Amino acid sequence: MSSADGRPGPPGKGRPTVAVVGAGVTGLAAAWELAAHPPPGEPAPRVVVLEAGARPGGKIVAAELGGGPVDGGADAFVARAPAGVELCRELGLDGELQAPAANRALVWTRGRLRPLPQGLVLGVPSDLVGLARSGAVSARGLARAALDLVLPPTAIPAGGDMAVGALVAARFGREVQERVVDPLLGGIHAGRSERLSLAATAPQLAAALARHRSLLVGLRREGAPQPGAGPVFLSLAGGLDRLVTRLVGELRARGVELRPACPVQALERSPDGRGWTLRTPGGTVAADAVVVAVPAPVAAGLIGAVAPSAAAELAAIEHASVALVLLAYAAGDVGRPLDGSGFLVPRVDGRLMTACSWYTSKWPGRRPAGEVVLRVSVGRWGQDPMALGDTEIVARVGRELTQAMGIAAPPAASAVMRWPEAFPQYTVGHLDRVARIEVGVAAVPGLGLAGAALRGVGVPACIEQGRQAARRVQAQLAPAGAA
Ligand SMILES: Cc1cc2nc3c(=O)[nH]c(=O)nc-3n(C[C@H](O)[C@H](O)[C@H](O)COP(=O)(O)OP(=O)(O)OC[C@H]3O[C@@H](n4cnc5c(N)ncnc54)[C@H](O)[C@@H]3O)c2cc1C
């Protein structure tokens, strides 16, 4: 049995210690799995969570805007992926799950705000009428999109991967790719569809093409959302950070030690080769197993000595930086009805903003009546906004909002949340790279790795990955009493 911080551990046979590095949703979910779901008949291990920042939650955070909270990172999660809802249920939060009040998204393209086409699957049309009605593409673009119905099948290269943008452009033409798919799928990843991996970011498209010559027909038959299928997104009443606060409360109640402001600087095998030593500015922490749940560039540095090839692969994953601009306006200053959830902005339209979410329309009741809050995203891969100062970002976004939404007055309050290197880019071949990383990590006993850079950037995917990594290291711990 190892001890932590040089303090002697419980004498004799006791519980092993698992250190979780990073208290984003991935690390917190790993800690939850360890603390709340030990193998049958076994006590839970001692769990220590080491977090570099002052607060847990990582990219889930309640930001302050004009004296009240607004989601400053993720604001909702996909309901279809079960891990998010499942964790909320386990935490007794199911009564607080909340679907957005507005779902209709728009796109700012070809000179004005237009409805996003009906029947999109990851941004890809499954309905030509919906595409025509939206006006997001020109008549010529629409005619080109219709060719999907008659074009010969598109071969997916051996190895099973290609760029989503290339596939969509081949089937529907560049206009659909640039004005619909790129802002939507690219927006999820702050990336460009011409670089994103089909296998990693849009496997539904490959599945539809495997059985249908036309992508449109394939998606309509197999992938399009069914009416009445329930909400696509969910959050929690008050804001998504409620998940973090409840999770942290429940972890603490189970004896999990959460140490904020405690960055792990190095991860080393213990001299006896059976455990781990984690170096932090406050001293060392000893553990029998470790789950690394930090962003890929940091993880690469931490595991470099013990899993060098996995570390090199992790370090090679590119990231995009974004800024989220939070703006509060008096409702009377907004020159159009807020009849939707917000809008996306294609890269080809040459704006600074990539999306604008109408926060108070999606989540009514969270802010004082008469106030409109917008969350505007800036930056994507190849367009790093980090060099821009806050004043310039707010001013430029304000000018674009005047053009898009007729907002004439300056915001009553604003805040800029900076998320440098926040969005891992799942480029072509990503899943093969992740498989190689996983092989490298699996070869190191007592080491787990999880996080948004691997198998999904969304909150449910991170939760699932954190829990899986925890289960893997848990399975390698000696049963209590055998230590
Ligand atoms: C602006 C924005 C909006 C988003 N919107 C959505 C959304 O609406 N829905 C959705 O599903 N997803 C969304 N995402 C993506 C999602 O929020 C993230 O992918 C997810 O939260 C990542 O969780 P994580 O725990 O893997 O990483 P993080 O949240 O980055 O957590 C990693 C933690 O590790 C800590 N850390 C770093 N270095 C060290 C160290 N050396 N030692 C100890 N700790 C360290 C960090 O401080 C951080 O707390 C959004 C992301 C951003 C940036």
Side-chain angles (χ1 to χ4, degrees), residues 22 24-26 50-52 58-59 73-76 263-264 294 419 423 452 457-459:
V25 73
T26 304
L50 305 164
E51 163 57 44
K59 295 178 180 95
D75 76 328
V264 175
V294 293
W419 295 108
F423 283 90
V457 295
V459 168

Side-chain angles (χ1 to χ4, degrees), residues 6-31:
R7 290 194 298 266
K13 297 168 178 180
R15 297 186 300 158
T17 297
V18 181
V20 175
V21 187
V25 73
T26 304
L28 293 175

Side-chain angles (χ1 to χ4, degrees), residues 195-442:
R195 301 178 78 245
L196 291 174
S197 151
L198 179 68
T201 67
Q204 300 92 318
L205 307 186
L209 268 185
R211 284 186 287 275
H212 303 271
R213 181 167 54 86
S214 153
L215 186 51
L216 192 119
V217 171
L219 291 178
R220 194 163 55 225
R221 299 232 172 109
E222 302 190 18
Q226 299 302 312
V232 176
F233 293 104
L234 286 169
S235 183
L236 290 161
L240 197 55
D241 70 301
R242 177 88 180 102
L243 175 61
V244 174
T245 47
R246 174 62 72 96
L247 199 39
V248 166
E250 291 292 324
L251 289 172
R252 289 206 164 113
R254 284 169 170 74
V256 171
E257 293 167 50
L258 181 60
R259 300 189 195 173
C262 187
V264 175
Q265 297 162 311
L267 185 58
E268 295 157 9
R269 301 284 345 204
S270 311
D272 65 4
R274 291 170 55 191
W276 296 91
T277 301
L278 295 89
R279 299 202 178 277
T280 78
T284 60
V285 174
D288 299 277
V290 180
V291 175
V292 174
V294 293
V298 184
L302 291 180
I303 70 168
V306 292
S309 62
E313 295 273 11
L314 269 178
I317 296 173
E318 295 171 284
H319 286 69
S321 300
V322 300
L324 191 64
V325 187
L326 309 174
L327 300 157
Y329 292 94
D333 289 337
V334 178
R336 60 158 287 136
L338 295 175
D339 50 352
S341 57
F343 61 90
L344 304 168
V345 189
R347 183 165 41 93
V348 286
D349 286 279
R351 313 283 181 183
L352 179 65
M353 66 169 72
T354 60
C356 173
S357 169
W358 297 346
Y359 190 74
T360 33
S361 305
K362 283 169 76 179
W363 314 113
R366 290 191 187 173
R367 301 285 302 187
E371 185 188 58
V372 166
V373 170
L374 308 178
R375 297 193 339 146
V376 177
S377 304
V378 169
R380 47 163 79 88
W381 188 86
Q383 279 173 272
D384 190 329
M386 291 301 126
L388 301 176
D390 286 6
T391 313
E392 184 180 356
I393 293 186
V394 171
R396 285 179 62 181
V397 161
R399 285 197 292 275
E400 291 187 352
L401 289 173
T402 306
Q403 294 169 358
M405 296 173 63
I407 300 179
S414 66
V416 179
M417 301 292 292
R418 289 175 181 272
W419 295 108
E421 302 285 296
F423 283 90
Q425 299 296 295
Y426 289 7
T427 50
V428 176
H430 180 78
L431 292 182
D432 290 341
R433 167 172 296 183
V434 171
R436 293 191 295 273
I437 292 170
E438 287 170 347
V439 167
V441 170

